[in-house]
Amino acid sequence: MRLISSLVVSLTTAALLVGCSDISSPKENMVELELFSNKAENIATYESMIERFEEQHPNIRINLYAPPDAETLLRTRLVKNDMPDMLAIAGNALYRELVSVDMLVNYEGEPMLDPIQPAYLQTISDLEGSEKKGIHGVPFAANANTMIYNKTKLKELGEDVPKTWDEFIQLLQKAKAVGEIPIYFTFQDSWTTMPAWNSLAGNLQPKQFADKKTNKEVTFQGTHQEVAEKLLQLKDYGHDRMFGIGYNDGNREFSQGKGVFYSQGNWAIPELLKLNPELDLGVFAMPVTNDPTKNKLVSGIDVLFATLKESKHPEEAKQFISFMMEEQQQQQYMEEQSAFSVRKDVISDDPIMEGIQDNFTEGKISSFPDHFYPAGMGAQNMIQEFLYQGNISKLLKDLDREWDQIQLRY
């Protein structure tokens, strides 16, 4: 109860009162479920899947609701005790909060979890924390933190994809020497500093860092010196306007041939190809150590499904989630959303993704570190400031202080 009270208090200050979903009155013998989604990009894909589900289950209607600023609205509805039946959200701090206050159905042991990559089930377990038992979110789609590259330019440099940190730095130096922009950074938006930070921290920080940090067993100052140093080193291979270029402008510039590498996730690829369909792209997991066996792809849960315990129709909700986990739906979502399947048996054959296929088949995957940072910490703003000022000591102290202060509120 204390956790619920703390969460409600913190949410009240963050939210405005907003109207709720528009759900039509239930028809006789018809079960209606509200599916609340935090993504607008996949609405059309969801709608076609829902139509297929409803054809197979004529007594169930799924009302998809994907509003702008969805997480703020969901927090507001939590305060008003007006939660939907099902959620389609990312595996992040919000999910962790909902699990911590025991609001979600436990799906541990359900057959629909069997085909899922163990790495993503481990991510769910890590998000929930060691004190929580069960699996309360069903991973559905994954994303990946990649280094996107211009294949044509890499070929002109006479180089292959680097396997170690030293090879990567040497390649960046070579690109700079011939007048190329080695990495096209876009630091005007603070969140775009996170792909590089996550690639480094996801491989270099201690295991279970978040739990250990919360338990005061580790600090950023004691464990993230190398992360900060290497991030600062990468900045040397950016361009003169990196703090004045945002994500959308960066997509346009890179699509027009500026830069050999682009530090972004797979989510940027559809936009790059929309801007320039002729662009020859590849991706790889940025090598952050000189031991190739220790360099993992940072991949997270872009979408998971969960059912609220208060739903009056948990069995129907489970039927829908089970349907969404089937191979046909997984293939469709992956193709239409340029996402990665969480199923062990559904691997992308997109040639752009060739450079990270082994990471999925071999399970060489690490989680997004910032998905475990406390909500509201604002790490991206501190990292953006650090990249501008270059003060490692200040960054690490700031990260420790903000994390600890948030913990004191609960």
Side-chain angles (χ1 to χ4, degrees):
M1 181 60 76
R2 180 173 176 269
L3 283 171
I4 294 175
S5 300
S6 299
L7 180 58
V8 168
V9 168
S10 68
L11 300 179
T12 304
T13 59
L16 297 173
L17 292 180
V18 187
C20 301
S21 60
D22 178 18
I23 305 174
S24 58
S25 300
K27 300 174 183 177
E28 190 174 358
N29 299 324
M30 180 71 74
V31 171
E32 297 211 14
L33 298 170
E34 182 190 359
L35 172 63
F36 185 100
S37 169
N38 70 339
K39 287 176 73 73
E41 301 92 332
N42 56 13
I43 290 175
T45 300
Y46 277 162
E47 287 178 339
S48 69
M49 293 176 176
I50 288 171
E51 183 177 352
R52 194 156 59 239
F53 173 79
E54 291 177 344
E55 289 173 354
Q56 297 176 19
H57 302 80
N59 64 321
I60 304 175
R61 287 287 176 269
I62 306 295
N63 297 302
L64 174 63
Y65 186 46
D69 200 8
E71 292 199 2
T72 298
L73 179 56
L74 189 65
R75 292 167 188 271
T76 306
R77 290 182 58 174
L78 175 61
V79 174
K80 297 169 66 179
N81 195 25
D82 175 36
M83 293 296 277
D85 297 283
M86 294 181 292
L87 301 174
I89 59 175
N92 57 18
L94 174 60
Y95 170 74
R96 187 182 178 107
E97 290 175 23
L98 293 171
V99 172
S100 72
V101 293
D102 202 25
M103 295 189 70
L104 304 179
V105 171
N106 181 5
Y107 284 119
E108 186 174 27
E110 292 290 344
M112 59 186 169
L113 297 178
D114 293 344
I116 297 175
Q117 285 257 18
Y120 295 115
L121 293 177
Q122 184 61 50
T123 297
I124 286 290
S125 179
D126 292 342
L127 278 168
E128 297 191 358
S130 57
E131 295 179 356
K132 210 70 184 178
K133 302 298 181 186
I135 298 292
H136 299 81
V138 180
F140 173 67
N143 53 17
N145 204 58
T146 61
M147 189 61 75
I148 300 171
Y149 68 101
N150 184 318
K151 285 185 175 179
T152 304
K153 286 185 177 292
L154 195 61
K155 191 177 298 181
E156 288 172 353
L157 289 169
E159 297 286 349
D160 295 321
V161 169
K163 303 296 184 187
T164 68
W165 173 257
D166 284 350
E167 288 179 5
F168 187 42
I169 294 300
Q170 289 168 10
L171 205 166
L172 296 175
Q173 290 172 343
K174 185 174 183 178
K176 190 174 183 177
V178 300
E180 291 282 359
I181 298 172
I183 308 179
Y184 205 89
F185 285 124
T186 60
F187 292 155
Q188 185 181 59
D189 299 322
S190 61
W191 73 268
T192 59
T193 63
M194 297 309 290
W197 172 270
N198 280 328
S199 288
L200 291 161
N203 283 281
L204 298 176
Q205 72 180 18
K207 292 182 178 178
Q208 306 297 322
F209 173 79
D211 283 343
K212 291 178 180 175
K213 170 62 184 164
T214 300
N215 293 331
K216 301 187 182 305
E217 298 171 23
V218 297
T219 63
F220 280 99
Q221 294 171 80
T223 60
H224 280 62
Q225 183 76 23
E226 184 179 0
V227 174
E229 289 175 352
K230 288 185 170 177
L231 182 60
L232 208 53
Q233 190 175 358
L234 290 178
K235 180 193 158 191
D236 291 341
Y237 302 100
H239 55 98
D240 293 342
R241 299 185 299 141
M242 68 182 90
F243 290 98
I245 296 290
Y247 174 65
N248 292 329
D249 290 336
N251 287 341
R252 187 187 64 251
E253 299 281 303
F254 190 77
S255 72
Q256 293 174 354
K258 292 184 179 178
V260 180
F261 300 104
Y262 193 43
S263 179
Q264 267 297 345
N266 62 295
W267 51 83
I269 291 173
E271 185 63 21
L272 293 171
L273 294 177
K274 189 190 306 178
L275 292 164
N276 182 2
E278 303 303 318
L279 198 59
D280 193 6
L281 296 176
V283 298
F284 61 92
M286 186 171 78
V288 302
T289 78
N290 285 324
D291 182 349
T293 64
K294 294 182 178 178
N295 295 323
K296 296 181 178 180
L297 176 73
V298 172
S299 178
I301 298 172
D302 195 38
V303 179
L304 62 80
F305 288 110
T307 302
L308 276 295
K309 278 187 172 180
E310 291 185 356
S311 172
K312 295 178 181 176
H313 308 290
E315 284 303 314
E316 289 81 359
K318 188 167 71 175
Q319 288 181 51
F320 175 73
I321 297 173
S322 296
F323 167 85
M324 295 294 278
M325 294 307 300
E326 293 174 359
E327 188 173 344
Q328 180 181 0
Q329 282 63 250
Q330 288 276 301
Q331 288 283 9
Q332 180 184 345
Y333 192 88
M334 195 167 57
E335 291 170 7
E336 295 182 9
Q337 297 297 315
S338 294
F340 303 104
S341 174
V342 299
R343 285 182 61 120
K344 292 175 283 190
D345 55 349
V346 180
I347 303 296
S348 171
D349 58 359
D350 185 338
I352 294 176
M353 306 299 176
E354 186 178 6
I356 56 175
Q357 284 178 353
D358 287 349
N359 291 89
F360 289 103
T361 56
E362 297 172 8
K364 293 172 59 178
I365 293 169
S366 180
S367 301
F368 278 82
D370 64 336
H371 288 188
F372 297 84
Y373 295 173
M377 181 177 167
Q380 68 272 20
N381 297 323
M382 288 180 268
I383 292 167
Q384 183 190 43
E385 179 184 350
F386 156 69
L387 283 166
Y388 190 76
Q389 298 179 342
N391 189 331
I392 293 176
S393 176
K394 180 177 186 304
L395 168 69
L396 301 183
K397 286 180 180 176
D398 287 348
L399 290 169
D400 278 326
R401 185 192 63 245
E402 289 301 315
W403 187 302
D404 295 342
Q405 286 183 349
I406 289 175
Q407 295 303 317
L408 288 174
R409 299 173 193 167
Y410 296 94

